[in-house]
Amino acid sequence: MTDTESDRPLRALLVVDVQNDFCEGGALAVEGGSAVAAEISRFLGDAEYEVIAATIDHHIDPGQHFADEPDFVDTWPVHCKVGTSGVDFHPDLDTSRIDTVFSKGEFSAAYSGFEGKNPEGQELEKWLRAAGISDVDIVGIATDHCVRATALDAVQAGFVTRVLLPLTAGVSAATVESALTEMRAAGVHLQGRDGDDAPDGGAISDVGPE
């Protein structure tokens, strides 16, 4: 190994919540979710990462996270419940390169992948540290909720963090704009379609799949 190779940053990809219930036809569908699943799979064909992890909502009884009359801010319709097909990865997502899966929200609300644990009981931050990771790229659903929360926690934990916006889908233009502003302010790098940093004020059409 050359000095250049040994000094290069080690990068991980985090695939956030690409599950049936967050895609078209699901209990809490995000427009463009199914297309994002397919786009991520195409991206994975050529992508080079040290490790790849996925996160999932994995609800058993998350208490007030579920509501019969949800406000779609703090409370939500029943979704991604263990034992239903909604919790499964979308069939268009190629999971063959995913090294491990972090489940979150079994008994409480959880948005960030850093709140989850994998089957070995490891938390995401510790797993990334053990792999020597310094940089993370984040893709998935939804830009303005779990992608946002995961990115903010990644920066807080000290990782160089980038969100690949073309490989995300958001709930609404207003909440996506707010999330992008918050992520930028926190130090998250937002990559647009051309591979460069996304400009300020990008509309939801700029961040969904083509």
Side-chain angles (χ1 to χ4, degrees), residues 41-101:
S41 294
R42 282 190 281 272
F43 173 74
L44 287 173
D46 297 321
E48 294 184 6
Y49 288 94
E50 201 70 22
V51 291
I52 299 174
T55 73
I56 57 169
D57 264 12
H58 194 251
H59 297 310
I60 295 174
D61 182 8
Q64 296 181 352
H65 187 58
F66 289 166
D68 293 333
E69 297 182 3
D71 61 17
F72 295 93
V73 177
D74 298 310
T75 59
W76 305 88
V78 176
H79 62 276
C80 298
K81 193 163 185 180
V82 174
T84 71
S85 61
V87 77
D88 296 336
F89 289 116
H90 190 278
D92 288 342
L93 177 68
D94 179 5
T95 61
S96 64
R97 291 191 57 196
I98 293 173
D99 295 300
T100 193
V101 177

Side-chain angles (χ1 to χ4, degrees), residues 28-31 72 76 141-145 169-176 204:
L28 196 53
V30 176
E31 184 177 357
F72 295 93
W76 305 88
I141 307 170
T143 319
D144 34 352
H145 293 283
V171 173
S172 73
T175 52
V176 166
I204 194 168

Side-chain angles (χ1 to χ4, degrees), residues 92-173:
D92 288 342
L93 177 68
D94 179 5
T95 61
S96 64
R97 291 191 57 196
I98 293 173
D99 295 300
T100 193
V101 177
F102 291 84
S103 301
K104 55 189 174 68
E106 290 185 345
F107 298 103
S108 63
Y111 296 91
S112 169
F114 285 83
E115 299 176 80
K117 292 185 177 180
N118 68 7
E120 290 72 44
Q122 293 174 298
E123 296 176 347
L124 178 55
E125 181 178 353
K126 291 181 179 179
W127 184 80
L128 292 169
R129 299 286 183 212
I133 298 301
S134 61
D135 297 26
V136 296
D137 286 351
I138 301 173
V139 300
I141 307 170
T143 319
D144 34 352
H145 293 283
C146 293
V147 167
R148 165 194 161 275
T150 302
L152 293 175
D153 277 356
V155 166
Q156 183 66 30
F159 296 101
V160 177
T161 304
R162 181 171 63 172
V163 174
L164 309 184
L165 293 176
L167 301 179
T168 69
V171 173
S172 73

